[in-house]
Amino acid sequence: MKNHLSNIKKSKFYLDNDECIGIPTETVYGLAGNAYSDKAVSKIFRLKKRPKSNPLIVHYSNLKMLKNDCHINKLFIKLKNKFCPGPLTFILKLKKESKISKFVTNGKKTLAVRFPSHRLTRKLLSSLDYPIAAPSANISTKISPVSKEDVKEEFGKKIKFILDGGRSKIGLESTIINLIKKPQILRLGGIEIEKINKTLNSKLKFFNKKHKISSPGQNKLHYSPGIPIKMNVKVPNRSEAFMLIKKRKRSDKNYFYLSKKKDLKEIAKNLYKTLRIIKRKKFKSIAVEKIPKRGLGLSINDRLNRASKK
Ligand code: TXA
Ligand code: MG
């Protein structure tokens, strides 16, 4: 406990001084900086090698602070009450008087916001008098990190501190919903689209191509381990890594279980970790068993599809 407290103090110290640090969230680890500071936010873009045109998500601990920066509406309140804190990001209208650095939004009039549920990050956020801008803590287009070690693998000594919050529980990024006009799902993620539809009494679907421009980070080359991925494979080649979701009688050296019982939560949690392990073992290609296309399975298939594009 004492250790956690001093680590939160340390994190606060770095953030107060416009430094970037790694922070844990329930989805993936983030590369965090003071969202009101041009200096901190430019550092995030530099470290990640992220195009300046791709805006960041801003993380809040409470509604009061969020209201300083954006306009809210009824749908937002409904979804927030149901799913937050948790893996849901909202696109809202930025207020004119907001202090959010212009680099966060690349000058756009909209802002992506979320309330992460990870205990340590909530503690950290509530100790700050500014919100935190945090993209996933990986080099642009690469695999998102789900542990302190993964963040270290991405940035080494280039960042001063990583707040260790253990393995990310969900293992996939947040779902993004645009609430500016008619609600639109811009990214599949940790909250199932079916649950959002139930709450809003709606029939939202995810149309990736159509909305590519409104969420620039949703381009094809994303989440990539840098080697080809084949989807819906029944029998793999012996030389390729095989990611499985249910137990087989045979077990080979190239078998990597995401789950042994088709559990979608477990598959999501293990996905990025397993991609990293396979990459480290220098396999030249990856085959994946068919993953059901419902609930979290939609998000998992989406990530693998993007990762499989060369
Ligand atoms: O789970 C998550 O959301 C993680 C953790 C760290 O919170 N963060 C994350 O951030 O995934 P990032 O930067 O890797 O992805 C943010 C996505 C990008 O695809 C970006 O284009 C989109 O959010 N985005 C940000 N601001 C936007 C805006 N104003 N309008 C549309 N899309 C936006
Ligand atoms: Mg990312």
Side-chain angles (χ1 to χ4, degrees):
M1 191 65 205
K2 217 168 155 198
N3 208 4
H4 278 330
L5 273 182
S6 66
N7 284 338
I8 287 174
K9 275 195 183 143
K10 231 185 208 171
S11 306
K12 174 173 162 50
F13 172 81
Y14 285 120
L15 291 168
D16 282 348
N17 285 285
D18 294 326
E19 288 295 345
C20 299
I21 61 166
I23 58 160
T25 89
E26 72 281 17
T27 57
V28 300
Y29 272 64
L31 180 63
N34 176 352
Y36 292 160
S37 155
D38 286 350
K39 191 172 162 197
V41 174
S42 338
K43 239 180 227 171
I44 295 177
F45 279 92
R46 254 196 333 268
L47 281 165
K48 261 188 78 93
K49 304 193 172 103
R50 179 174 176 119
K52 289 196 177 75
S53 57
N54 189 4
L56 306 180
I57 297 178
V58 178
H59 299 65
Y60 292 85
S61 67
N62 63 67
L63 188 58
K64 194 169 165 229
M65 199 186 277
L66 181 141
K67 279 181 175 168
N68 294 331
D69 296 323
C70 39
H71 296 280
I72 60 165
N73 55 37
K74 273 191 195 151
L75 290 184
F76 165 78
I77 294 293
K78 224 177 193 178
L79 291 168
K80 178 192 174 285
N81 288 343
K82 180 82 183 169
F83 299 112
C84 298
L88 184 59
T89 293
F90 307 91
I91 309 296
L92 297 172
K93 228 190 240 167
L94 189 66
K95 280 192 174 165
K96 275 206 184 87
E97 61 273 27
S98 157
K99 286 192 273 183
I100 293 288
S101 160
K102 57 187 179 302
F103 298 127
V104 166
T105 59
N106 187 36
K108 269 162 72 117
K109 305 268 182 298
T110 62
L111 185 65
V113 296
R114 92 175 187 93
F115 302 99
S117 68
H118 193 288
R119 195 174 57 88
L120 292 186
T121 290
R122 271 164 63 86
K123 272 216 165 96
L124 171 62
L125 280 167
S126 58
S127 75
L128 308 172
D129 49 15
Y130 48 83
I132 285 177
S136 51
N138 51 280
I139 305 292
S140 204
T141 78
K142 300 289 186 245
I143 306 168
S144 296
V146 291
S147 67
K148 178 183 172 178
E149 291 69 37
D150 294 351
V151 180
K152 236 187 204 157
E153 193 171 89
E154 292 291 314
F155 295 106
K157 293 207 171 94
K158 287 189 186 138
I159 54 177
K160 296 229 161 91
F161 188 65
I162 305 165
L163 179 60
D164 189 356
R167 179 89 172 266
S168 293
K169 274 206 184 102
I170 294 174
L172 287 179
E173 295 82 352
S174 58
T175 299
I176 304 182
I177 185 163
N178 186 353
L179 294 179
I180 303 273
K181 288 181 193 151
K182 248 172 90 187
Q184 291 174 320
I185 302 293
L186 299 185
R187 176 173 76 182
L188 294 169
I191 297 277
E192 297 88 335
I193 204 165
E194 294 92 330
K195 286 189 184 160
I196 293 178
N197 279 330
K198 211 170 158 197
T199 307
L200 297 184
N201 197 13
S202 58
K203 288 187 178 152
L204 301 178
K205 280 193 182 139
F206 177 63
F207 296 108
N208 181 45
K209 280 190 187 113
K210 215 165 138 192
H211 301 316
K212 228 166 76 183
I213 293 157
S214 54
S215 207
Q218 288 306 85
N219 58 9
K220 276 189 181 160
L221 186 85
H222 228 81
Y223 315 102
S224 164
I227 42 178
I229 300 182
K230 272 189 288 175
M231 310 278 293
N232 309 319
V233 174
K234 284 187 184 144
V235 186
N237 296 330
R238 279 185 157 262
S239 64
E240 61 193 359
F242 189 34
M243 300 208 293
L244 302 104
I245 64 163
K246 54 181 188 295
K247 192 153 173 42
R248 303 231 171 164
K249 281 189 198 130
R250 253 180 69 169
S251 188
D252 284 345
K253 265 196 187 152
N254 61 332
Y255 281 20
F256 296 86
Y257 281 100
L258 296 172
S259 170
K260 289 195 171 163
K261 44 185 197 293
K262 268 192 164 181
D263 178 334
L264 291 171
K265 272 193 178 158
E266 195 179 14
I267 297 170
K269 184 172 177 191
N270 288 327
L271 182 65
Y272 290 151
K273 192 87 215 169
T274 309
L275 284 172
R276 250 174 221 278
I277 292 170
I278 290 171
K279 187 166 183 199
R280 220 176 286 137
K281 289 192 186 250
K282 306 233 176 319
F283 279 94
K284 294 277 185 310
S285 64
I286 302 174
V288 192
E289 198 170 22
K290 189 171 185 176
I291 295 168
K293 292 189 176 60
R294 60 179 155 75
L296 280 182
L298 288 173
S299 315
I300 298 162
N301 274 295
D302 169 80
R303 294 303 187 276
L304 282 166
N305 271 322
R306 284 172 208 284
S308 67
K309 301 282 181 306
K310 270 192 245 160

